[in-house]
Amino acid sequence: MEENKDITIYDIASKLNLATSTISRALKDHHSISEKTIKKVKKTAEEMGYVPNTLAAGLRGNKTKTIGVLIPTVTQPFLSSLISGIEITAQKSGYNVIIMQSNDSYEAEVSMAKSLYGSRVSGVICSLAMKTTDTSHFQQFVSNNIPLVFVDRVPKEFNTFRVIIDNYAAGFKATEHLIEQGCTRIGHLTAGSKFGNLYTERMRGYLDALKKHNLSASKELIVDLQTVTYTEGVKASNKLLSLKTPPDGIFASGDIMAVSAIQSAKKKGMRVPEDIAIIGFNNDPISEIIDPNLSTITHPAAKMGQISAEIILKNIKSPKKEDVKEITFLNTEVLIRESSKRK
């Protein structure tokens, strides 16, 4: 049985009795080749089942027209929307996207960064793993002029592009909303607060909002999750609700945490929002499904993905060595729904 063989430009050249250089130029619509020859070459290539080897072409030019995306997981709605924004933008410019999930593992992130570099990607977009405390594995991209953008979960110090929202302002607005609804003892569910400025900034906004309204910020009211999951959210919520004096409001740094808080409160016989008002973050689809509907903070995920990809594409075409600027989105909003609406 004859083994299947990939068709190459040499096979097309042999069939048409033309030079391989002519075939190559014709397939790229080169101005030196007549329109008649281009049409003939392309028709023959299609009939023979020729598929361009973009990887090989990329390796020859040290570019693969591929953008690497390294994220914690694709299961979170925010990150799914982020990927969508990246892919739509990349595809419009003829770029492919490789998606890798670290599952919040630092070791996996290091390994995947190495793999992306070995694959000669043209650029990298990354949202850091929860357990990442050292970002030196990303220096290989910067050192070799491969555009790098950190988005959402970004390192505190790394001289490259960062696309984020104003997490401090968002955390402040979420907490102040609960205060305006009459809450005086507000709990906070956070995550990974030892590194990165996403959750720490939201917590800083929470603390400053309490301070502004002369409310105490007791340590027992702040619970740090190990991972952003429903199970961890239930554990954290029960810890708050089991306090001698439980909170009358909760600001959760993610909707999945807030949903776990709603369900944990209801299981304890508490009414939401009458006994405890709850607000989340991200405006995930589940926020409109849970009963009561969850108040939350909007997060322009798809737009952030689009901007991240645009930065990569711009710097591939005209790389510049200059101080990198942070792009901050200020347009987060409080979406008031049933879970926090007392007034």
Side-chain angles (χ1 to χ4, degrees):
M1 185 174 178
E2 187 177 339
E3 188 177 337
N4 290 333
K5 175 178 172 289
D6 289 336
I7 301 299
T8 68
I9 61 171
Y10 297 98
D11 299 314
I12 301 171
S14 177
K15 183 167 185 175
L16 296 177
N17 197 26
L18 293 171
T20 53
S21 58
T22 301
I23 302 298
S24 179
R25 290 193 184 103
L27 291 171
K28 295 175 183 176
D29 296 309
H30 197 275
H31 63 83
S32 64
I33 307 299
S34 69
E35 188 176 339
K36 181 181 177 181
T37 301
I38 288 175
K39 285 183 178 179
K40 182 169 68 173
V41 169
K42 287 188 173 182
K43 182 182 178 183
T44 304
E46 184 178 354
E47 290 171 349
M48 295 179 70
Y50 170 74
V51 178
N53 189 338
T54 54
L55 177 60
L59 292 176
R60 286 194 295 274
N62 203 33
K63 294 179 181 178
T64 59
K65 296 210 78 173
T66 300
I67 297 173
V69 177
L70 180 47
I71 57 173
T73 176
V74 296
T75 58
Q76 289 183 22
F78 167 79
L79 291 169
S80 297
S81 296
L82 181 80
I83 291 169
S84 178
I86 292 170
E87 284 195 314
I88 290 171
T89 307
Q91 288 168 3
K92 284 180 180 177
S93 293
Y95 278 75
N96 296 313
V97 175
I98 295 177
I99 300 166
M100 292 190 170
Q101 301 179 78
S102 66
N103 290 308
D104 275 324
S105 164
Y106 168 72
E107 290 77 17
E109 185 179 273
V110 171
S111 175
M112 290 171 181
K114 184 178 180 181
S115 178
L116 287 174
Y117 179 73
S119 298
R120 309 283 183 93
V121 291
S122 299
V124 174
I125 298 171
C126 177
S127 183
L128 292 173
M130 186 75 73
K131 297 180 180 178
T132 296
T133 56
D134 173 19
T135 53
S136 58
H137 48 292
F138 290 103
Q139 189 58 45
Q140 58 193 322
F141 301 111
V142 177
S143 299
N144 289 278
N145 298 316
I146 298 171
L148 170 66
V149 176
F150 286 112
V151 59
D152 195 46
R153 290 189 194 171
V154 306
K156 291 179 180 178
E157 296 179 4
F158 199 105
N159 188 32
T160 191
F161 298 98
R162 294 176 293 275
V163 177
I164 61 173
I165 61 168
D166 189 336
N167 285 286
Y168 169 80
F172 189 99
K173 286 187 287 188
T175 307
E176 191 163 61
H177 164 66
L178 294 178
I179 295 170
E180 290 169 350
Q181 298 303 305
C183 298
T184 58
R185 184 169 164 79
I186 301 171
H188 181 45
L189 299 180
T190 184
S193 59
K194 294 179 181 178
F195 184 73
N197 62 13
L198 187 157
Y199 295 110
T200 52
E201 285 298 287
R202 291 176 192 174
M203 184 163 66
R204 193 166 69 86
Y206 155 80
L207 293 171
D208 279 2
L210 294 179
K211 185 177 180 180
K212 176 187 173 183
H213 292 273
N214 299 312
L215 296 176
S216 61
S218 173
K219 286 186 178 180
E220 69 177 0
L221 289 174
I222 301 173
V223 184
D224 194 347
L225 282 71
Q226 295 300 308
T227 56
V228 183
T229 62
Y230 176 80
T231 302
E232 285 293 312
V234 168
K235 290 179 184 177
S237 299
N238 285 331
K239 188 173 181 179
L240 284 177
L241 299 173
S242 298
L243 291 172
K244 187 175 181 180
T245 306
D248 58 1
I250 292 178
F251 163 41
S253 280
D255 283 345
I256 193 64
M257 302 182 212
V259 165
S260 66
I262 288 176
Q263 295 194 324
S264 297
K266 289 169 70 175
K267 284 181 180 178
K268 287 183 177 291
M270 299 176 75
R271 297 169 303 161
V272 181
E274 293 86 355
D275 298 326
I276 184 165
I278 298 171
I279 187 169
F281 205 109
N282 281 348
N283 193 28
D284 291 342
I286 196 172
S287 65
E288 294 187 273
I289 299 171
I290 187 70
D291 180 27
N293 290 170
L294 176 65
S295 295
T296 187
I297 301 292
T298 61
H299 204 165
K303 183 69 175 178
M304 292 170 78
Q306 174 193 328
I307 295 295
S308 298
E310 287 174 353
I311 291 172
I312 293 290
L313 295 168
K314 180 181 177 181
N315 281 270
I316 289 171
K317 293 175 182 176
S318 54
K320 294 180 181 179
K321 290 188 177 181
E322 56 185 23
D323 288 337
V324 176
K325 294 182 179 179
E326 182 171 275
I327 297 179
T328 304
F329 288 89
L330 302 174
N331 58 331
T332 56
E333 296 178 3
V334 179
L335 290 182
I336 302 172
R337 298 192 180 114
E338 297 169 1
S339 70
S340 69
K341 193 174 181 180
R342 289 176 169 176
K343 297 180 180 179

